[in-house]
Amino acid sequence: MKYSLISCGINCDFLFGQGYDGASNMSGQYKGVQSIIKEQYPHAIYVHCAAHSLNLAISTASEIQSIRNCLEIIENDEEPKVKTLKRLCATRWVQRYDAVSDFIQLFSYVVDSLDIIKDWNDTTATDASLFLKSIDTEFLISLQVVKLVFSFGLPLCKLLQKEQMDLKLAVSLAKDIIGSLEEIRRNCDSEFNKLFLEAKEMSEVVGIEMCMKRITNRQKHRPNPNTHLNIEDFYKVTVFIPYLDYFINQLQERFLSHSEIFEGFQCLFSAEISSTDEISFKKLINFYSTKLDVVNSNPKTGIEALKLCNMDIYPNIHFLLKILCTLPVFTSTPERTFSSLKKIKTYLRNSMTEDRLNGLSLLAIHNDIEVEHDEILDILARKPRKLEILL
């Protein structure tokens, strides 16, 4: 990889950041690509893609049984509707939220369709009957809870994929979302009451009565609170609060690494510097000491600060700000290039040299760059050919 970058004219001495998804072959602590690069270039900080971190947070939190069952029912329900429903996507937040939102809006049509299909004389009727039986009180409440949580993740996901996003703003946005969710957690009684009333309206469409799961002396496979609760409190304790707490903890845990990286840079934006800020800033200076030569307004982002900082007067601060602006926040843009391979490397042309594959990929990815035909002909003319072409 080092020699590939050098062959492209990239000076690896200025490699200060690297970003990948969470796959072990890329982010592994011992054998991953990031660890191999960091051995040669210790200042190349690895940043886990923020968009992937957000998706992993919701995916892990969705392992709660009631939430997982709810999402599986939505995903498997493919019956014809008045409006096309979207399938749940494992990596794209926009489609996830839209899938749940559309399902709720078209819920009455879904139920009517399943009710008709269950009388058909084929295997589809069995699936339709199972879907109808799966729509119970727990499913309806889980559906409302998922919609609420997804609505907070959607704007964060969109903002994290903007080209002008830097690490400072990404951490700040994540903290704002966590703060909003924590406020909902503190007011869980009133917030869940709204969701419960919406789920109750949906239950009237299906014609089912709101009820809670049977409580036994011993239960391993689902929540089984010992205290006597009414229906609303039961699902608040068993579905809403655990899912909300789990999601908040996942966001804090997965964005913690970004916060640690940003602590030293935060001093550049503070109007007043505390003793803790001084310690963090000294650590930052020591970390980049080999690369450094031993503003009146408060900018909001690293790019704004870089524009305000005079490189001649503040060379060291300008250098640190440049590193902050170039640290990767997400890897969505380079990962979209993989879609080009489906057009180039098909089953009809599965074998080609690496040079040809790289060349065709660059042409497909950078299709906005105009190709000079005369330059291509000159290059081809210099290469030896097996056949002599007589003109």
Side-chain angles (χ1 to χ4, degrees):
M1 179 174 293
K2 171 183 176 182
Y3 298 106
S4 299
L5 294 174
I6 294 175
S7 64
C8 295
I10 298 176
N11 187 352
C12 294
D13 292 333
F14 294 96
L15 182 60
F16 293 103
Q18 49 178 325
Y20 319 105
D21 56 20
S24 58
N25 61 331
M26 303 300 292
S27 63
Q29 184 177 357
Y30 302 103
K31 298 293 184 178
V33 172
Q34 67 94 9
S35 63
I36 296 174
I37 292 179
K38 206 166 184 179
E39 287 180 0
Q40 302 181 34
Y41 305 99
H43 295 109
I45 299 175
Y46 164 65
V47 180
H48 189 183
C49 174
H52 280 85
S53 296
L54 176 61
N55 185 71
L56 289 172
I58 189 61
S59 298
T60 306
S62 297
E63 289 301 313
I64 295 177
Q65 186 184 32
S66 57
I67 302 297
R68 183 179 67 247
N69 294 341
C70 172
L71 295 177
E72 287 178 354
I73 293 173
I74 297 175
E75 183 176 7
N76 293 327
D77 186 9
E78 299 180 3
E79 312 305 334
K81 315 293 187 310
V82 176
K83 177 183 177 182
T84 303
L85 296 181
K86 299 179 179 65
R87 292 181 61 86
L88 288 176
C89 181
T91 57
R92 303 186 70 176
W93 261 90
V94 177
Q95 290 188 4
R96 277 193 167 199
Y97 176 77
D98 289 345
V100 175
S101 179
D102 287 352
F103 186 89
I104 293 176
Q105 291 181 12
L106 301 175
F107 181 68
S108 59
Y109 300 102
V110 173
V111 175
D112 291 341
S113 300
L114 293 175
D115 194 50
I116 295 173
I117 295 172
K118 70 180 179 62
D119 295 327
W120 290 0
N121 189 22
D122 56 16
T123 55
T124 311
T126 304
D127 295 335
S129 299
L130 292 175
F131 284 136
L132 281 174
K133 292 180 180 179
S134 300
I135 300 176
D136 55 7
T137 305
E138 184 180 70
F139 169 79
L140 297 177
I141 291 177
S142 299
L143 195 62
Q144 295 295 334
V145 173
V146 166
K147 181 184 177 183
L148 174 67
V149 175
F150 278 19
S151 66
F152 282 91
L154 176 62
L156 178 59
C157 180
K158 288 183 176 181
L159 291 171
L160 287 176
Q161 298 185 50
K162 287 189 174 182
E163 292 183 357
Q164 298 298 321
M165 178 65 60
D166 63 17
L167 200 57
K168 177 184 185 301
L169 189 55
V171 174
S172 177
L173 290 171
K175 287 182 178 179
D176 290 341
I177 295 297
I178 293 173
S180 299
L181 292 173
E182 288 176 341
E183 182 65 22
I184 293 176
R185 176 63 176 86
R186 287 190 290 269
N187 302 316
C188 60
D189 293 339
S190 59
E191 293 292 340
F192 181 72
N193 180 256
K194 301 175 186 177
L195 303 180
F196 183 79
L197 293 177
E198 293 179 2
K200 192 173 182 179
E201 291 180 3
M202 295 180 67
S203 69
E204 296 174 356
V205 176
V206 191
I208 63 174
E209 183 181 355
M210 299 288 283
C211 60
M212 60 184 182
K213 300 289 185 180
R214 184 171 63 91
I215 298 176
T216 61
N217 293 330
R218 185 179 181 184
Q219 178 61 256
K220 292 183 178 179
H221 303 292
R222 62 174 174 83
N224 189 50
N226 296 323
T227 57
H228 180 69
L229 301 172
N230 57 33
I231 299 175
E232 182 176 344
D233 291 339
F234 175 82
Y235 288 107
K236 179 178 65 178
V237 172
T238 59
V239 179
F240 181 62
I241 293 178
Y243 186 51
L244 200 58
D245 287 345
Y246 204 172
F247 184 53
I248 292 173
N249 290 335
Q250 284 293 312
L251 285 179
Q252 292 174 336
E253 179 181 338
R254 295 187 180 278
F255 282 88
L256 180 62
S257 58
H258 299 139
S259 299
E260 292 176 348
I261 294 172
F262 176 66
E263 282 180 358
F265 291 105
Q266 179 63 41
C267 306
L268 302 175
F269 302 89
S270 301
E272 297 181 0
I273 300 178
S274 63
S275 57
T276 305
D277 292 335
E278 291 181 2
I279 296 174
S280 300
F281 190 70
K282 287 180 180 179
K283 291 181 179 179
L284 182 69
I285 294 297
N286 291 333
F287 184 76
Y288 291 111
S289 59
T290 58
K291 301 295 181 180
L292 298 175
D293 298 329
V294 190
V295 202
N296 295 328
S297 58
N298 293 326
K300 296 180 179 180
T301 65
I303 295 176
E304 291 181 7
L306 184 62
K307 293 178 179 178
L308 294 173
C309 182
N310 189 305
M311 183 176 64
D312 297 327
I313 301 176
Y314 307 105
N316 291 342
I317 295 179
H318 187 276
F319 185 79
L320 291 175
L321 286 172
K322 188 182 293 185
I323 294 175
L324 173 61
C325 294
T326 55
L327 283 175
V329 178
F330 61 89
T331 59
S332 303
T333 301
E335 287 185 9
R336 292 193 185 101
T337 60
F338 288 113
S339 60
S340 300
L341 294 177
K342 297 180 180 179
K343 304 175 184 177
I344 300 170
K345 196 174 177 63
T346 65
Y347 69 96
L348 294 175
R349 183 182 286 277
N350 194 36
S351 177
M352 67 176 68
T353 62
E354 184 177 352
D355 291 340
R356 179 177 177 82
L357 179 61
N358 291 340
L360 293 175
S361 300
L362 290 173
L363 285 172
I365 296 167
H366 301 287
N367 53 19
D368 56 325
I369 300 177
E370 295 185 2
V371 178
E372 297 293 338
H373 299 86
D374 294 338
E375 185 179 351
I376 295 176
L377 291 174
D378 290 340
I379 294 174
L380 292 175
R382 299 191 197 101
K383 292 186 177 181
R385 301 180 61 88
K386 295 182 179 179
L387 297 177
E388 293 185 3
I389 300 179
L390 299 177
L391 299 177

